[in-house]
Amino acid sequence: MPNTSDVGTTIVRGACPHDCPDTCATLVSVDGSGRAIRIQGDPNHPVTSGFLCAKVNRYLERTYHPDRLTTPLRRVGPKGSGQFEACSWDEALTDIGARLDAIRNGPHGAEAILPYSYAGTMGQLQGSSMDRRFFHALGASKLNRTICAEAGRVGYMMTVGSSVGADAEGVPDSDLIVLWGTNTLTSNPHFWPFVLDARKKGTRVICIDPIRTRTAEQCDEWVAIKPGADAALALGIMHELFAHDWIDHDYVARYTTGVDALRERAAEWSLERTADVTGIPVERITALAAAYGRAKAAFIRLNYGLQRHAGGGMAVRTIACLPALTGHWRRAGGGVSLSVSATFAMNKDGLQRPDLGPTTRTINMSLLGDALTTPDAGIGGAPVQALIVYNSNPAAVAPDLTAVRRGLAREDLFTVVLEHFQTDTADWADYVLPATTQLEHWDVHTAYGHLYASLNRPAIAPVGESLPNTEIFRRLAAVMRLDDPSLRDDDLTLIRTALDSTHARMTGVTFEALLERGWVRLNVPRPFLPFAEGGFPTPSGMCEFVSPRLAALGLDPVPTYIAPYESPESDPMLAARFPLQLISSPAHQFLNSSFVNVPTLRRAAKEPECVMHPDDAGLRGVAGESIVEIANDRGAFQARVRISDGIRPGVIWAPSIWWTKLTDDHRNPNDTTSQRLTDLGEAPVFYDNLVEVTPVG
Ligand SMILES: Nc1nc2c(c(=O)[nH]1)N[C@H]1C(S)=C(S)[C@@H](COP(=O)(O)OP(=O)(O)OC[C@H]3O[C@@H](n4cnc5c(=O)[nH]c(N)nc54)[C@H](O)[C@@H]3O)O[C@H]1N2
Ligand SMILES: Nc1nc2c(c(=O)[nH]1)N[C@H]1C(S)=C(S)[C@@H](COP(=O)(O)OP(=O)(O)OC[C@H]3O[C@@H](n4cnc5c(=O)[nH]c(N)nc54)[C@H](O)[C@@H]3O)O[C@H]1N2
Ligand SMILES: [Mo]
């Protein structure tokens, strides 16, 4: 039963809402007074296995944080000053409705209103249901949600077909594990127990990363690749696979297209050329290729780190060819996994109702700075006059913060932010609306690192006057007299709609089953071997080594290497001024910019830091533990230096994403990142970013 009672304490089943592959099943203990007193991972969930991460262990501290927003707030000081006064929900919603109505009836129409949201919660309800219905019915601009995963998603789709891949629960059967562009112990920690299981029988674990992360430290081998060079490495490995005939010819003949073109392309990647481009010695490449070629069921765990570069889409597409060449998809533990989200088949259209409104323009969230400041920059026509932000903190996480801040500072921009806390973004708002956390609302979840759906029940009453996103958009729809009946659906109706699917894999994933058990495995075998006998969800039904869809886009249809925009090799002129490649991947204690304001976690992260190789520090006269300025033409930020040989020379690492207002210099690495986009998916290139470091003071 979901709720068990024990001396006045109730245990409520939930799901972690955060943007992470693990989507944990949680158990929240609530005492007789209705206060949550404990959160733990469900010991029976095969992936959660009874533990939570460093951040979500602190979820109660976050929920009951004295800084929680408890009432709607109206701006009283100048824009960006962070001066607000409390007001009632009625006052706030009436005024917001009137402001949006004026814009809707103005010369540019409702397209001048832009929703901006990402995955602050991954819940189907609080993330993407009533909000979408509201903006569709209003006729607002659409948002292309590219900020995280689009390069990789599209690249993977070009080879494999959709976000379906090897099952983490097969990992114990692997005979080689390659962690490629992922800091597993930080960003996907519930994958690790499966790795440990495989290791018990001697399976090698190799980590490919420019940084010797805490994950790389735990692996048998750290392959210190140059940033953005992963497609070259994969092509070099293929060169060896073909040369030694480590190819599953039967699999290739039955289930792939274009092997001849791929062989020709791989032939161009001699070991010497591969070593030159990747910075990995020839003997390491040979050993890696041999290990992969001789394995029967190698598991490649890709994640999103390697796709935040100019050629990120092509890199993922290229790597995704490997298990089809070797036939590893046939066996448990073999294959490649980036996201498995498309294994789920929720009724998204029913939930989001794109049919409620007209076709409108789409604005790329990764170009927020441009969209707010240069209305003609590819967004066609209407300026953005109103911005409604929820589930995201763009004033900390979006690229090119200088441009973003300039946009948010516009006196003529009407900004509403739905939040738990007064974030960097909320400081720019005209209205801030208090939202509930996962402990306070209903939701239903898919996952992208495993195959279990889960239900989140509210465990406690809303803190203060906070409301679920769904309720805020229902009320806004009512205030604005949007009258489609679907805009009045309550949360339980929305959950039933989300689960209203006839897809075979969703059989058994019902509201009743979720109420009863909290989480349910998709209707697939365990482990799931999606492509053991082909059946790729591409147009040809094959794993596409040659992609007609890429050709149609005017791109190379065959896997290839695309150099970074900013690297010493690809832009020597720029590198003469800014020689170091900055990677600003997640800090262990934070979840993007969430949890930065939670005292125990911020104390653990200490202060903005960066890691530099001794050679790079020496060249610049930078002493360990000193403060440095990290800068390029776009901007600058400061951090305390740690000097370590656990990073490639020429690369620096600044664990992220700090709230700018909680740093001494009120800036963060996104002051230096650019609004350039990846080859596929129009995604940001956060880690394709040259900087120079100078001592401060
Ligand atoms: N603790 C914690 N967990 C998180 C998050 C968080 O902020 N904190 N964020 C969540 C979200 S939204 C996401 S998208 C994921 C992100 O987590 P991951 O998908 O793992 O991606 P990143 O952490 O961005 O980068 C992973 C590793 O890739 C390396 N890397 C960078 N460039 C390259 C390259 O060119 N080639 C190779 N081979 N490696 C490279 C980085 O050094 C980093 O160690 O994690 C989720 N989980
Ligand atoms: N330099 C650099 N920049 C990056 C990255 C990087 O690695 N380096 N990573 C990028 C990636 S992968 C991603 S995914 C993005 C993530 O960027 P965001 O999606 O902006 O993620 P967060 O920073 O966690 O902000 C989410 C906000 O949503 C709020 N929130 C959570 N739940 C709810 C809710 O139910 N209702 C409402 N109204 N609000 C809620 C939280 O309080 C939080 O402030 O950042 C990107 N930016
Ligand atoms: Mo992300």
Side-chain angles (χ1 to χ4, degrees), residues 138-163:
L138 193 60
S141 285
K142 296 194 171 55
L143 187 73
N144 192 6
R145 290 176 169 81
T146 56
I147 201 156
C148 169
E150 272 304 280
R153 189 187 68 79
V154 176
Y156 190 86
M157 179 183 79
M158 292 299 176
T159 299
V160 171
S162 76
S163 297

Side-chain angles (χ1 to χ4, degrees), residues 329-508:
W329 284 121
R330 291 183 194 271
R331 290 173 282 274
V336 57
S337 176
L338 177 59
S339 159
V340 295
S341 61
T343 323
F344 295 82
M346 295 278 183
N347 177 9
K348 286 223 157 104
D349 279 355
L351 206 53
Q352 305 181 3
R353 297 294 305 273
D355 58 295
L356 285 180
T359 304
T360 55
R361 69 171 170 181
T362 299
I363 291 179
N364 184 346
M365 73 186 301
S366 301
L367 301 180
L368 181 66
D370 279 354
L372 294 180
T373 52
T374 49
D376 297 330
I379 58 170
V384 176
Q385 295 176 307
L387 182 70
I388 319 281
V389 182
Y390 54 104
N391 304 343
S392 186
N393 184 13
V397 309
D400 194 3
L401 284 184
T402 311
V404 171
R405 286 191 207 103
R406 207 181 327 125
L408 293 172
R410 272 176 39 202
E411 281 299 335
D412 64 333
L413 179 71
F414 179 64
T415 302
V416 180
V417 177
L418 286 60
E419 252 302 345
H420 299 150
F421 294 106
Q422 191 68 34
T423 58
D424 288 336
T425 308
D427 278 349
W428 293 102
D430 294 282
Y431 277 97
V432 183
L433 304 178
T436 45
T437 71
Q438 192 77 344
L439 295 194
E440 301 149 61
H441 54 224
W442 284 98
D443 221 323
V444 62
H445 288 255
T446 62
Y448 62 96
H450 61 69
L451 300 174
Y452 299 83
S454 45
L455 183 74
N456 185 72
R457 289 173 181 252
I460 60 172
V463 169
E465 295 174 24
S466 63
L467 293 175
N469 291 344
T470 43
E471 177 63 14
I472 298 175
F473 286 107
R474 266 191 295 268
R475 292 192 189 185
L476 260 180
V479 167
M480 296 189 72
R481 297 172 308 280
L482 299 172
D483 54 11
D484 191 274
S486 71
L487 295 166
R488 295 191 286 274
D489 283 353
D490 63 17
D491 284 2
L492 296 187
T493 307
L494 290 172
I495 292 178
R496 289 185 187 280
T497 304
L499 294 169
D500 179 17
S501 169
T502 53
H503 198 290
R505 290 198 293 260
M506 298 298 285
T507 305

